[in-house]
Amino acid sequence: MIGILWLLAFLLEGEIISARVLYRRAPLVRVWLGAVIGFVMAMWLPVLAAFIMRFTAAAQWVALGVGALGTAAIWRFIKPDPHLLPVKDENPPIWAVLLVVVPLTVIGAYLQYTHNIRPVDGALNVGQSTYSDINLHLSIVTGVKDAAFPPEYVILPGTRLCYPFLMDTLSGSMYILGTDLAVSLWLPGTLMMALVFVGYACLAWRLTGRGWLMVLSVLLLFVNGGFGFADMIDQVCKDPSRFMEIFTGYYKTPTNLPDLNLRWSNILVDMMVPQRTFLAGWTVLIPVLYLVIEGSREHNRRTFVVAGILAGAMPMINTHAFLAAGLSTIGFMVCELIQRGFRKADSDGISVSRAFRDWAIFGIIAIAMALPQIFTWTINQASQGGFVKLHFNWVNNDGGLIDDYLWFWIKNIGPAALFIIPALIDSKKEQRMIAVGAFSIFVVAETIVFQPLVYDNNKLYYVWYLLMLPVVMRYLERIWEGMKRMKLRGISLLAGAFVVCGLLSGSLTIAREWISDYQLYSALEVETMDYVDDNTPQDAVFLMGGQHNNAVSTLTGRKLVCGSDTFLYFHGLNYSQQKADAYAMLIDPAQNAALFDQYAVDYIYISNQERAQYPLDESLIASLYPLWYSHGDINIYAVSARAQAGAVG
């Protein structure tokens, strides 16, 4: 409960700051932005405190106090400008919010609860989409307890943790303050999902000005799919039993079938739920986009300053979101300046030079805040290899185009893809600015890969899609009005077919995730980890297998000699020596005693997973090291002197 109150206190601080600084914004927008500010403070301030006093419970309270002092200072010294009037018609229609935001939030809340280590008869269960990724996030959440900063990977000790970790350290803060581990995951996750849904509804409303266009934009973004359902229908017609496989098979839904080159994964269940950094990134990204677009309309400098601060906080929240924000805002700026250059400054009283100064203020603030993060973490990881290389056409290019270029995007995105290029060409004024910003991301993502896994460029493409949807909706509205004037028959049927084709694949994917249920850790493992957590030092090092669902690192935050390739490889880390050494120690501990000293190994953990992975001789291990703990198929042997002091045999 204390951890929850701690988080709510930060959110209250954010609301107070928003009420003072963003007083011109409409009530819903102001509350949304205030909550985002509170989350950014809750992620960053404890980390900054940890550089001085480690990531302890005391650091959490110091961070909250610093936030309170900063909030009080802002309230005291920043005054509203009486000459600036409130922005009119900024809140989206309440019916539109209720129609889409509320149902999506309910779905998101349920999935956050069921997919983040849900207790079931003593075991811990998850959903399909979290079965893999949740293990890495858990290792960060539990591993930062009392850690010095900058922290290290608990699955690769000695290597700086450069993966964007702020969403996980937020949960770590709550966990340290006594919040249940599962609650520390799903509560902030649920709140952030609600903020993303509300935020995009506000953004889509401001860009379309129509309630039904906003609804369609929100649905097509978060219930996204493509024409994969057509392949599913074809398979079901040939074999009706295949229909149930959609809901029972492991990744058999029509939005993620690599064999058919269907790779446009559903954003709600395949990105926001399992990829916590993506969720946190979008929580901040959408406000940045909203504020800079509003700033380009009014050129109120305060709006650009707030946007710059939020953008500058993003690299260690989600690096891809930061990159997308940077690329899109460069496109916005260039397009706006060119447009202003072709019209008189007195049309709205804003000259090109003033507009440029406002954009420069945003950029300078964002870059100044981002550079320390980039030099401390991002470059450090990227320098290890596998990052930033030329590559054309995303996952459709595997030594040659798998599908025809345009068909790949049409079948993956769905009917909206048919209108993206026409909407870009037809766009004018602000719509053109949005489209240029969106395609600034697309062009870069189409030619450069920013991480070892090519597929992860989808985090950039999704922002392109996010921005283009309102532009496409406005274009479709013009087509709709033209068809109505022509009194064409069947236009309602065409509109219905567009909506069904755009949402069917995503709906099937969400339904599959809703009912998915997998055991991640058995009751035996959970019971063992409770004992390990209570009876081993926080910095204890374990030698064990390389399975991705590693209970020691995830549930206790204890260090491993070498963790799973599933995470280490795709983070671009060089772990080959540690992996080889772990193998050598497990299969021949007697001949590799020096390695045990080198890695400061405290315990050897042997379960049926290790017995299946390695040709180990457990009797040899038992002859060298005393048994420290035994339960079911799990045996833990004490290696170091401090571990042997508590051994049972």
Side-chain angles (χ1 to χ4, degrees):
M1 187 63 182
I2 297 298
I4 296 174
L5 294 175
W6 174 89
L7 176 61
L8 293 177
F10 267 115
L11 296 181
L12 177 61
E13 291 175 358
E15 295 297 347
I16 294 171
I17 292 172
S18 179
R20 196 62 160 184
V21 177
L22 301 171
Y23 61 92
R24 297 184 64 235
R25 310 259 68 99
L28 178 63
V29 174
R30 192 166 59 243
V31 170
W32 159 53
L33 293 173
V36 172
I37 293 169
F39 265 119
V40 171
M41 294 168 65
M43 286 187 280
W44 262 114
L45 292 181
V47 165
L48 296 177
F51 273 91
I52 301 171
M53 54 193 306
R54 305 178 74 92
F55 204 76
T56 59
Q60 315 310 315
W61 296 116
V62 168
L64 184 61
V66 170
L69 290 174
T71 301
I74 288 172
W75 188 266
R76 172 66 178 83
F77 295 108
I78 296 183
K79 303 294 184 182
D81 187 340
H83 302 293
L84 294 177
L85 300 176
V87 179
K88 295 182 179 180
D89 302 322
E90 193 175 24
N91 279 341
I94 188 64
W95 68 264
V97 173
L98 293 175
L99 186 62
V100 289
V101 172
V102 172
L104 288 174
T105 300
V106 170
I107 293 171
Y110 178 78
L111 293 176
Q112 285 287 337
Y113 169 71
T114 59
H115 282 47
N116 286 296
I117 55 171
R118 178 171 53 91
V120 179
D121 297 328
L124 294 175
N125 286 24
V126 295
Q128 174 183 250
S129 67
T130 53
Y131 186 76
S132 176
D133 284 359
I134 191 64
N135 299 279
L136 172 69
H137 296 297
L138 279 168
S139 72
I140 299 173
V141 172
T142 58
V144 294
K145 182 179 179 181
D146 298 331
F149 267 65
E152 299 178 349
Y153 282 91
V154 298
I155 58 174
L156 197 68
T159 302
R160 181 175 295 180
L161 176 61
C162 295
Y163 177 81
F165 53 73
L166 287 176
M167 176 61 167
D168 292 324
T169 55
L170 169 63
S171 293
S173 296
M174 298 177 67
Y175 179 61
I176 288 170
L177 294 175
T179 306
D180 178 78
L181 182 57
V183 176
S184 73
L185 296 173
W186 63 253
L187 179 60
T190 297
L191 294 175
M192 284 189 178
M193 291 189 84
L195 292 175
V196 170
F197 297 142
V198 170
Y200 189 64
C202 292
L203 178 61
W205 164 250
R206 292 296 280 170
L207 295 181
T208 62
R210 302 284 191 278
W212 68 278
L213 295 181
M214 183 213 86
V215 168
L216 278 177
S217 297
V218 172
L219 289 176
L220 288 171
L221 180 65
F222 297 112
V223 194
N224 66 298
F227 286 113
F229 68 86
D231 288 293
M232 304 302 297
I233 292 173
D234 181 59
Q235 293 177 28
V236 170
C237 289
K238 296 175 182 176
D239 180 3
S241 66
R242 296 294 297 274
F243 179 73
M244 289 308 300
E245 190 178 42
I246 298 174
F247 305 100
T248 59
Y250 191 73
Y251 279 108
K252 297 295 183 181
T253 59
T255 59
N256 195 338
L257 293 172
D259 291 344
L260 298 177
N261 208 20
L262 293 167
R263 310 300 300 277
W264 196 246
S265 300
N266 179 260
I267 291 174
L268 196 160
V269 301
D270 288 324
M271 302 300 294
M272 294 173 68
V273 174
Q275 301 200 28
R276 291 166 54 79
T277 59
F278 178 92
L279 171 59
W282 273 36
T283 301
V284 185
L285 169 68
I286 294 174
V288 170
L289 297 175
Y290 187 95
L291 288 169
V292 295
I293 291 169
E294 287 295 309
S296 71
R297 291 175 170 180
E298 60 195 28
H299 278 280
N300 173 14
R301 193 155 293 172
R302 182 177 294 185
T303 304
F304 280 101
V305 169
V306 175
I309 292 171
L310 291 176
M314 287 175 64
M316 289 311 293
I317 296 175
N318 183 268
T319 310
H320 285 91
F322 173 73
L323 177 59
L327 292 171
S328 60
T329 51
I330 289 172
F332 295 160
M333 180 189 69
V334 171
C335 189
E336 187 200 352
L337 295 179
I338 291 174
Q339 289 176 344
R340 287 189 178 279
F342 283 97
R343 64 177 189 259
K344 293 182 179 180
D346 60 2
S347 61
D348 60 2
I350 298 170
S351 64
V352 174
S353 60
R354 176 184 167 184
F356 176 76
R357 284 195 300 270
D358 288 343
W359 282 106
I361 288 171
F362 163 78
I364 290 169
I365 292 172
I367 293 171
M369 290 179 61
L371 282 178
Q373 302 170 60
I374 292 171
F375 283 113
T376 301
W377 289 291
T378 309
I379 290 179
N380 182 66
Q381 183 158 349
S383 65
Q384 298 196 41
F387 289 78
V388 189
K389 53 184 178 290
L390 295 176
H391 183 90
F392 174 67
N393 196 211
W394 192 34
V395 291
N396 189 40
N397 188 354
D398 185 14
L401 295 185
I402 301 171
D403 284 309
D404 289 341
Y405 185 82
L406 290 177
W407 172 239
F408 167 76
W409 289 106
I410 292 170
K411 82 172 189 177
N412 271 276
I413 294 177
L418 297 168
F419 302 97
I420 289 178
I421 298 300
L424 167 67
I425 296 171
D426 188 63
S427 60
K428 296 178 177 63
K429 297 182 179 179
E430 184 181 76
Q431 296 290 309
R432 173 63 58 85
M433 183 188 82
I434 303 303
V436 169
F439 271 88
S440 298
I441 301 170
F442 184 86
V443 170
V444 172
E446 274 289 85
T447 52
I448 303 174
V449 173
F450 293 93
Q451 63 290 312
L453 183 62
V454 172
Y455 178 72
D456 278 347
N457 258 29
N458 64 350
K459 298 177 179 68
L460 298 174
Y461 289 111
Y462 285 137
V463 184
W464 159 72
Y465 180 63
L466 174 156
L467 287 168
M468 283 305 300
L469 274 174
V471 180
V472 169
M473 292 302 105
R474 288 290 299 272
Y475 177 70
L476 289 177
E477 182 189 36
R478 293 191 288 274
I479 294 177
W480 173 264
E481 295 297 332
M483 294 174 72
K484 283 205 306 184
R485 286 193 297 270
M486 296 171 64
K487 298 182 179 180
L488 295 177
R489 294 182 178 180
I491 59 174
S492 296
L493 185 62
L494 284 174
F498 175 89
V499 173
V500 171
C501 291
L503 302 180
L504 183 55
S505 292
S507 298
L508 289 171
T509 300
I510 292 172
R512 162 63 179 121
E513 208 61 53
W514 182 278
I515 64 174
S516 68
D517 188 19
Y518 293 88
Q519 184 181 102
L520 187 63
Y521 295 111
S522 67
L524 175 64
E525 289 175 299
V526 173
E527 186 177 345
T528 300
M529 291 309 104
D530 287 340
Y531 186 86
V532 168
D533 201 25
D534 291 338
N535 295 279
T536 64
Q538 183 65 34
D539 62 348
V541 178
F542 280 73
L543 171 64
M544 59 187 302
Q547 58 268 26
H548 83 282
N549 55 335
N550 191 299
V552 170
S553 61
T554 57
L555 299 183
T556 73
R558 271 45 174 192
K559 298 177 181 178
L560 309 180
V561 172
C562 187
S564 173
D565 305 51
T566 303
F567 307 122
L568 298 173
Y569 175 80
F570 292 114
H571 287 200
L573 300 175
N574 183 0
Y575 60 98
S576 57
Q577 188 61 57
Q578 290 92 326
K579 182 179 179 180
D581 290 343
Y583 181 89
M585 284 187 280
L586 279 168
I587 65 169
D588 194 355
Q591 295 299 316
N592 291 283
L595 289 177
F596 282 88
D597 292 334
Q598 177 183 328
Y599 287 98
V601 175
D602 292 296
Y603 303 93
I604 301 176
Y605 181 101
I606 304 295
S607 69
N608 284 339
Q609 293 196 73
E610 282 73 23
R611 296 181 187 102
Q613 289 181 49
Y614 303 94
L616 53 81
D617 182 353
E618 190 169 352
S619 62
L620 175 59
I621 295 174
S623 70
L624 294 171
Y625 305 111
L627 185 66
W628 180 79
Y629 177 90
S630 181
H631 188 31
D633 69 282
I634 298 173
N635 291 328
I636 303 178
Y637 298 90
V639 176
S640 67
R642 67 173 179 173
Q644 290 183 9
V648 297

